[in-house]
Amino acid sequence: MGRKMVSKIAENKTLELIFDFGSPNAYLSLKVLPAILERTGATLVITPALLGGIFKATGNKPPFVQYAEAPAKMAYERLEMERFITKHGLTAFKMNPHFPVNTLLMMRGAVVAEDEGRLCDYVDAVLRAMWEDGLKMDDPEVVATFLSANGFDGPALLARTQEDGIKAKLVANTQAAADRGVFGIPSFFVGDELFFGKDRLDQVEEALAG
């Protein structure tokens, strides 16, 4: 029994984030997470998964489609985002003018960066490109130029996104997330417990601390 308890405590000190660059709320969440990780002593694991694939697998739809005929609901979603931004002082954030952006290339790039041990650097850089600089990150030339200016070999990384193993890993991650009950991003796991959205970060912290 003691060994099981130790195992459970260790498991709860890992926070897994199911992640795609296409979600502005994923950006906002990642800006808040460092303080939560520091307070709880938890370790963050980022799992790249394709949001479009999750939507397809689960029958879910993005808010701008889901609430297209409910403008008051969409307006409230924007209000909640603004409140979160103000609360946490996330003044660098701005909606990408090209939104929605096809994230397939970026997400395959994330799998390449993970394979090369640079996922965190890649995520930090590409989040900035998407949600601070407003770049069109489904344009391969834009992506290659940006990556090369930010510590990566852009052309080499993009070439690897066409490898069968990289493509298959992203597909497998996406299906595995859907199989675990994920229907949108950002989704968080503390052990086997699922939390969805930036508005559940208080619950995530409680789970990590508990």
Side-chain angles (χ1 to χ4, degrees):
M1 183 173 179
R3 183 174 297 176
K4 288 182 180 179
M5 181 62 73
V6 170
S7 175
K8 185 66 174 177
I9 291 170
E11 183 181 55
N12 284 354
K13 286 299 182 182
T14 299
L15 174 62
E16 181 182 5
L17 167 62
I18 309 297
F19 174 79
D20 186 307
F21 292 104
S23 167
N25 287 322
Y27 166 94
L28 297 173
S29 296
L30 272 166
K31 292 300 179 181
V32 174
L33 279 180
I36 294 174
L37 298 173
E38 183 176 355
R39 287 193 295 267
T40 61
T43 300
L44 178 65
V45 174
I46 297 175
T47 300
L50 194 62
L51 180 56
I54 289 173
F55 283 155
K56 184 176 180 180
T58 63
N60 196 13
K61 296 179 177 63
F64 68 88
V65 174
Q66 189 174 1
Y67 305 130
E69 297 181 7
K73 172 65 173 174
M74 200 62 232
Y76 185 77
E77 291 286 316
R78 289 192 293 269
L79 176 60
E80 283 291 278
M81 180 179 288
E82 288 301 325
R83 287 171 174 165
F84 189 93
I85 289 167
T86 299
K87 176 181 178 180
H88 296 287
L90 303 176
T91 56
F93 173 82
K94 65 180 180 182
M95 281 299 295
N96 190 296
H98 308 287
F99 184 83
V101 176
N102 185 326
T103 62
L104 180 61
L105 181 62
M106 285 182 282
M107 295 311 301
R108 286 177 177 170
V111 177
V112 173
E114 181 180 35
D115 185 62
E116 296 179 354
R118 298 198 62 192
L119 180 58
C120 289
D121 291 341
Y122 180 88
V123 168
D124 286 344
V126 177
L127 279 175
R128 186 172 72 253
M130 272 289 292
W131 300 112
E132 296 179 15
D133 299 341
L135 300 182
K136 192 176 189 319
M137 293 296 284
D138 52 5
D139 183 326
E141 290 188 9
V142 172
V143 175
T145 299
F146 174 82
L147 291 176
S148 292
N150 285 273
F152 293 86
D153 184 334
L157 190 148
L158 292 194
R160 287 206 62 200
T161 65
Q162 301 307 304
E163 294 177 6
D164 289 343
I166 296 299
K167 294 178 181 180
K169 178 68 181 298
L170 182 59
V171 170
N173 282 359
T174 302
Q175 186 60 55
D179 290 345
R180 294 167 72 190
V182 172
F183 54 86
I185 285 174
S187 286
F188 307 91
F189 281 97
V190 180
D192 294 326
E193 194 167 2
L194 169 65
F195 302 86
F196 171 69
K198 70 183 187 305
D199 301 320
R200 300 294 177 266
L201 285 173
D202 287 347
Q203 295 178 9
V204 167
E205 183 166 0
E206 288 174 4
L208 289 170

